[in-house]
Amino acid sequence: MRLRAGVVSDCGRVRSANEDSFLLRPGLYAVCDGMGGARAGEVASQMACLGLLSVDPASADAEALREAVIKANTAIIQRSTSESELLGMGTTLTAALLTDDTLLIAHVGDSRAYLMREGELAQVTDDHSWVGEMMRRGELTHEQAARHPHRSVITKALGTDMVLDPDMLELTVAPGDRVLICSDGLTGMVSDEIIAQVLGKGDDAQTAAQELVDVALLNGGEDNVTVVVVDIQASDQAEEDGDGSWSDSRILIGPSDRRSTAAAPSGIERLSQNARERLRRRGGVLRAGAVAADDAEGETEDQEKGGSVEAGKDESAPATVPPPEGEGSKKKADHKPVDKRRRRRRWLIAAVIVLLVLVLAIGSFAWYNSTVYYLQVENGKVALYQGLPWDFAGIEFSSVYRLSSVDYLALTPYERGQVDSRELLSKKEGERFLDGLSTGL
Ligand code: MG
């Protein structure tokens, strides 16, 4: 059998960056939906895709696929705990390994794999999401889940728990089958019925992937959306079509970094330097283009020219929704608004703290100012002032507390010296001085 694949990844119409990643390698295909804010989600999803490169697509080795996912999980956790800006990052992963007539799927999170056979579309993965679990328990209908405020809470992801048990599925496939792998940016925006209609039109894999993304964008594009379509064809069909030969040297990983409308080759360039270096070390060849078709030179050329891979947008993770019982959960959607809310809250807290410190400082000063006194001459008479003998910008910090009837000029040199010193006194000391003057003591 021969495989033809198409991919489109778009940041959508709401997010500011794309944290989805995909991997296309002949026989091995994956979609990962990162979460974590800033660039953390993108790092996590890319790490997950790169982690799959250890799997040999030529052999249907479920254990190798499972091990690769578990190792990627460990690597993501280690990196997120060692780099503060990546703390809490995570990603979904749905990977399909196609070898001969065997389709192996590794799955964690709420990205999905579907199989289209003879016009019938079947979801083959279970969503590891709060609403998914509620639906399986019969506590939510499909319609309720689609609108549920907790629909973006996922219950399993790479990056959250050192112990990870990915779902592993094995199916037998046949020529004519069509595999779809996608992030929830598609399934949150487009119903299964519409997906089936688009996939059933018979367009080539790349056209179908593009059309699915277009529908998601038309319906709002609220999330990053990544679609991989893989067509399983009979070998002789490929030969008849002159589709070229299988090549295991073509690997496509993307998109990466911030939003861009650049074509596919630029999408490849957006791979981080580290990612490219790791890929090179693994012997992979980065191929520009949105299609990692196992055949079809024409299709690949089209991608290189026009490219439908778009680098995307941002999302992050609020933790405002309680996780389902017994499992850590992570919310993926609405990251940007939550970041804004968090920033606003931080500013508010900082403003309140500054205000409290100011009030405390002013209060302390006012209290101290009310407890000190000094002597000064007021209209030729000796007076006791309350407060500090200072002024600032025309504001005096003291006022006459008691005015005596004693002329300054009548004081002895010693007494004048005491008045002139403006030494700070207690109220008792000041009054005793004035009393001594008036009584002649
Ligand atoms: Mg998503």
Side-chain angles (χ1 to χ4, degrees), residues 72-106:
N73 177 56
T74 306
I76 290 168
I77 291 174
Q78 285 172 343
R79 189 158 173 202
S80 75
T81 49
S82 63
E83 296 180 39
S84 59
E85 69 271 23
L86 301 179
L87 189 65
M89 70 175 174
T91 183
T92 71
L93 178 148
T94 301
L97 180 60
L98 276 155
T99 311
D100 298 326
D101 63 349
T102 302
L103 168 61
L104 284 171
I105 289 182

Side-chain angles (χ1 to χ4, degrees), residues 219-249:
N219 288 354
E222 293 175 6
D223 196 0
N224 306 147
V225 52
T226 300
V227 172
V228 172
V229 176
V230 185
D231 282 340
I232 300 161
Q233 301 179 337
S235 299
D236 55 349
Q237 180 185 341
E239 284 169 6
E240 282 172 14
D241 292 343
D243 280 337
S245 60
W246 173 286
S247 168
D248 61 359
S249 65

Side-chain angles (χ1 to χ4, degrees), residues 109 162 168 424:
M162 285 299 272
M168 299 299 300
L424 293 181

Side-chain angles (χ1 to χ4, degrees), residues 132-242:
E133 292 185 7
M134 296 294 277
M135 282 171 62
R136 287 193 285 280
R137 285 186 219 158
E139 295 178 32
L140 278 182
T141 64
H142 186 80
E143 290 68 32
Q144 288 171 325
R147 294 189 305 272
H148 202 283
H150 293 181
R151 63 186 178 278
S152 55
V153 175
I154 60 174
T155 54
K156 197 185 277 190
L158 276 72
T160 58
D161 195 332
M162 285 299 272
V163 178
L164 179 71
D165 186 20
D167 288 355
M168 299 299 300
L169 308 161
E170 182 172 337
L171 294 91
T172 300
V173 290
D177 287 352
R178 178 165 253 195
V179 177
L180 165 68
I181 314 171
C182 59
S183 61
D184 67 335
L186 176 70
T187 52
M189 293 284 111
V190 185
S191 69
D192 284 4
E193 290 71 26
I194 299 296
I195 291 173
Q197 280 180 26
V198 172
L199 291 178
K201 284 166 61 179
D203 293 324
D204 63 80
Q206 181 60 31
T207 304
Q210 184 66 62
E211 192 169 340
L212 287 173
V213 170
D214 289 345
V215 177
L217 297 179
L218 274 173
N219 288 354
E222 293 175 6
D223 196 0
N224 306 147
V225 52
T226 300
V227 172
V228 172
V229 176
V230 185
D231 282 340
I232 300 161
Q233 301 179 337
S235 299
D236 55 349
Q237 180 185 341
E239 284 169 6
E240 282 172 14
D241 292 343

